[in-house]
């Protein structure tokens, strides 16, 4: 079947190039294949960086099931407990893709037009440490939906990572909570903010090079305090985190109205802004920790959802 062969080429290329496993897919044990497929479901994009339609993503797994069946593979991706991770990740991804299509309009203070004005005024950019921090804050808000001063303050360096896509292009991964599986992804030039002078990946790389070497461990705070020595050609940042009061000033300086002492903006209290290119599990943000909690899964289809539930008992 032509569709099955086409889908399998994509899956195999991902497993070989991204996951580094050169074995034939039908030769990979179920527990290892489940790990590969969970990452595939999370990271799979079209060649142009755009998201797959929900039905297209589902089709990959069904094509894989047919392929494995022809080789009498010892396991079913759609039914067996060994692949509950894949099915859970798929259900989460489908929920997210459907939610993306229902995303509401971006508030004016977070729009591309407003961001362009902020770049022109120098409030956003890479010409100074504060402008760089402002830009990181803005991109974390619009691409990764980080809301509120306390949430920004809690971010750590290890939650961000530059990874390589199937086609060799780089993208930025953000983990919602340290060590958790909920992630969002940023791919350059595949969203409306690509019109700006610089993208989030470039900003992150610049920030990486300007951070003190001793502040690049996963547990170090993401936002660092500005070092006044930069004006004389010295270091841009100190080796400790920016204070809450510094971070709370950022949205105000960018013209994003602060609604309360927590640093939460008026937009934060309204409809949630979902990045058109990021991903996360279908989750709700915990108001006390800022972390995400798993929501209800949507079914790949009714029978597959039952397989997920049964595997838990």
């Amino acid at each position: 079947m032509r569709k099955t062969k086409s889908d399998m080429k994509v899956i195999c290329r991902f497993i070989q190039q991204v996951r580094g496993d050169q074995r034939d897919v039908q030769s990979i044990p179920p527990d290892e294949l489940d790990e590969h497929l969970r990452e595939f479901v999370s990271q799979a994009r079209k060649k142009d960086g755009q998201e797959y339609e929900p039905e297209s993503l589902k089709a990959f797994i069904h094509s894989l099931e047919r392929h494995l069946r022809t080789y009498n593979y010892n396991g079913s991706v759609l039914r067996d407990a060994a692949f509950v991770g894949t099915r859970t990740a798929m259900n989460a991804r489908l929920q997210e893709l459907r939610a993306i299509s229902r995303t509401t309009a971006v508030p004016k203070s977070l729009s591309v037009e407003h961001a362009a004005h902020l770049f022109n005024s120098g409030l956003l950019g890479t010409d100074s440490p504060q402008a760089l921090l402002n830009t990181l804050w803005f991109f974390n808000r619009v691409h990764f939906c980080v809301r509120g001063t306390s949430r920004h303050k809690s971010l750590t360096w290890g939650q961000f990572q530059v990874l390589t896509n199937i086609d060799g292009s780089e993208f930025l991964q953000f983990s919602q909570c340290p060590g958790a599986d909920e992630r969002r992804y940023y791919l350059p030039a595949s969203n409306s903010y690509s019109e700006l002078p610089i993208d989030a990946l470039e900003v992150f790389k610049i920030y990486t090079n300007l951070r003190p070497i001793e502040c690049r461990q996963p547990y170090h705070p993401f936002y660092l305090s500005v070092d006044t020595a930069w004006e004389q050609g010295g270091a841009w940042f100190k080796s400790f985190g920016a204070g809450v009061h510094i971070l709370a000033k950022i949205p105000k300086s960018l013209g994003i109205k602060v609604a309360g002492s927590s640093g939460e903006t008026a937009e934060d209290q309204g409809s949630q802004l979902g990045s058109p290119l990021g991903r996360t599990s279908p989750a709700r943000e915990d108001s006390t920790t800022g972390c995400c909690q798993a929501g209800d899964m949507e079914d790949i289809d009714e029978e597959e959802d039952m397989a997920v539930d049964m595997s838990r008992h």
Side-chain angles (χ1 to χ4, degrees):
M1 184 177 179
R2 182 179 300 177
K3 173 63 174 171
T4 299
K5 290 182 179 179
S6 175
D7 288 348
M8 285 308 302
K9 285 183 179 179
V10 175
I11 294 173
C12 291
R13 184 165 62 244
F14 177 87
I15 292 175
Q16 292 171 0
Q17 296 181 5
V18 178
R19 300 290 293 173
D21 192 332
Q22 304 304 315
R23 292 174 291 180
D24 292 332
V25 67
Q26 63 270 15
S27 301
I28 302 174
D31 58 334
E32 296 179 44
L33 183 56
D34 181 57
E35 291 184 16
H36 293 330
L37 295 177
R38 277 185 287 171
E39 289 301 313
F40 173 78
V41 167
S42 298
Q43 299 183 29
R45 298 290 191 285
K46 298 178 182 178
K47 289 183 177 180
D48 61 1
Q50 297 297 312
E51 301 280 9
Y52 283 108
E53 293 297 321
E55 293 303 316
S56 298
L57 197 59
K58 286 167 58 177
F60 280 115
I61 301 303
H62 285 276
S63 292
L64 175 62
E65 181 79 356
R66 289 191 293 270
H67 174 84
L68 295 177
R69 193 180 301 140
T70 62
Y71 286 90
N72 297 316
Y73 186 78
N74 183 28
S76 168
V77 178
L78 301 181
R79 296 173 179 81
D80 289 354
F83 292 95
V84 66
T86 296
R87 295 195 296 275
T88 300
M90 173 62 81
N91 290 335
R93 189 77 170 109
L94 293 177
Q95 256 195 351
E96 181 202 351
L97 291 174
R98 288 161 185 160
I100 288 174
S101 65
R102 299 191 294 268
T103 298
T104 56
V106 177
K108 289 183 178 179
S109 60
L110 298 173
S111 67
V112 177
E113 293 75 17
H114 184 65
H117 169 72
L118 294 173
F119 271 102
N120 290 334
S121 68
L123 285 170
L124 293 182
T126 58
D127 293 334
S128 71
Q130 189 58 56
L132 183 54
L133 287 182
N134 293 348
T135 307
L136 291 164
W137 186 99
F138 185 85
F139 282 149
N140 284 341
R141 175 64 182 85
V142 298
H143 293 315
F144 301 132
C145 296
V146 178
R147 299 176 173 86
T149 299
S150 60
R151 180 70 174 110
H152 280 276
K153 181 72 170 71
S154 70
L155 295 180
T156 61
W157 187 241
Q159 289 177 255
F160 298 82
Q161 188 176 4
V162 176
L163 300 175
T164 303
N165 215 332
I166 299 174
D167 60 1
S169 62
E170 292 183 319
F171 62 95
L172 189 59
Q173 173 185 281
F174 169 66
S175 300
Q176 295 280 12
C177 302
D181 290 332
E182 298 91 356
R183 302 186 181 96
R184 285 184 178 270
Y185 300 93
Y186 170 80
L187 291 84
S190 62
N191 65 100
S192 58
Y193 291 91
S194 61
E195 302 172 14
L196 298 177
I198 191 170
D199 63 54
L201 181 59
E202 293 177 276
V203 171
F204 180 81
K205 288 183 175 180
I206 291 172
Y207 187 46
T208 299
N209 293 330
L210 291 171
R211 285 176 68 97
I213 295 177
E214 63 271 21
C215 291
R216 300 181 188 179
Q217 293 300 312
Y219 56 84
H220 285 133
F222 180 77
Y223 296 103
L224 297 179
S225 292
V226 173
D227 193 330
T228 56
W230 79 274
E231 296 178 343
Q232 287 75 44
W236 277 40
F237 298 100
K238 297 179 180 178
S239 56
F240 54 85
V244 173
H245 64 291
I246 295 297
L247 296 178
K249 290 179 180 179
I250 292 178
K252 295 179 182 179
S253 69
L254 300 181
I256 300 174
K257 184 178 179 181
V258 176
S261 59
S262 65
E264 190 175 27
T265 66
E267 289 81 4
D268 295 334
Q269 296 182 338
S271 60
Q272 299 213 352
L273 173 67
S275 170
L277 50 92
R279 78 146 309 263
T280 183
S281 65
R284 60 185 183 277
E285 193 170 71
D286 187 293
S287 61
T288 57
T289 64
C291 296
C292 289
Q293 301 174 343
D296 296 329
M297 292 188 300
E298 286 202 19
D299 55 315
I300 299 177
D301 62 37
E302 184 176 356
E303 183 177 33
E304 294 156 341
D305 189 51
M306 184 180 298
V308 172
D309 293 337
M310 291 298 293
S311 67
R312 294 176 178 174
H313 298 287

